[in-house]
Amino acid sequence: MDLVLKLREVRRLRGLSQKDAARLSGVGEKTISSFETGERIGSMKLEQLQRLLEIYGMSEAQFFGSSLESEIAPWELDEEQMALTRLLDDLRSLPKQAKRNLLAKFQLMAEAVGDSHEVKDRRNPSYVRDSAEEWQMLTSRN
């Protein structure tokens, strides 16, 4: 999603005018306007973005994360992206130990899926041919 659109929509979601955002953040009203129109977005300083995000009540990770995009423009996400976003939001709210346990289980599942794809590939005739050629190369070296 476009940075310009995010800046404008987050401010609006928080119920702030550009004038309010300028007063609370110390970033000039005309500067905010020029960021939100894209006119001067390339010259935005990290400090300015941080001050704006502070008054919007969000971290940089939240601003650049996908959950904000789904809040601003849910129609832009397909069903799979929306489900993944909801899952990630749910996972973020879990205690650290639960996250660690789930991460370990996800890693095991990913390895199992990877192993099953490897077994499936072994049934492919080209895999057998490539493996036989590789075996011949290995055994001919000795």
Side-chain angles (χ1 to χ4, degrees), residues 28-84:
E29 185 178 349
K30 288 183 181 181
T31 302
I32 291 173
S33 175
S34 66
F35 291 156
E36 290 184 4
T37 61
E39 197 175 305
R40 291 186 43 215
I41 196 69
S43 65
M44 176 185 264
K45 294 180 178 108
L46 181 58
E47 180 185 334
Q48 292 169 315
L49 177 61
Q50 289 170 332
R51 290 194 319 220
L52 289 170
L53 294 180
E54 187 177 321
I55 65 162
Y56 299 152
M58 62 183 4
S59 68
E60 292 166 35
Q62 290 169 317
F63 181 74
F64 290 107
S66 60
S67 60
L68 177 60
E69 292 180 15
S70 65
E71 184 180 346
I72 292 173
W75 58 88
E76 288 187 5
L77 301 174
D78 64 24
E79 288 182 38
E80 189 175 312
Q81 286 176 312
M82 288 175 59
L84 183 58

Side-chain angles (χ1 to χ4, degrees), residues 100-113:
R100 286 187 193 120
N101 292 340
L102 281 173
L103 179 59
K105 290 176 183 178
F106 282 139
Q107 287 172 330
L108 286 173
M109 288 188 302
E111 289 170 10
V113 169

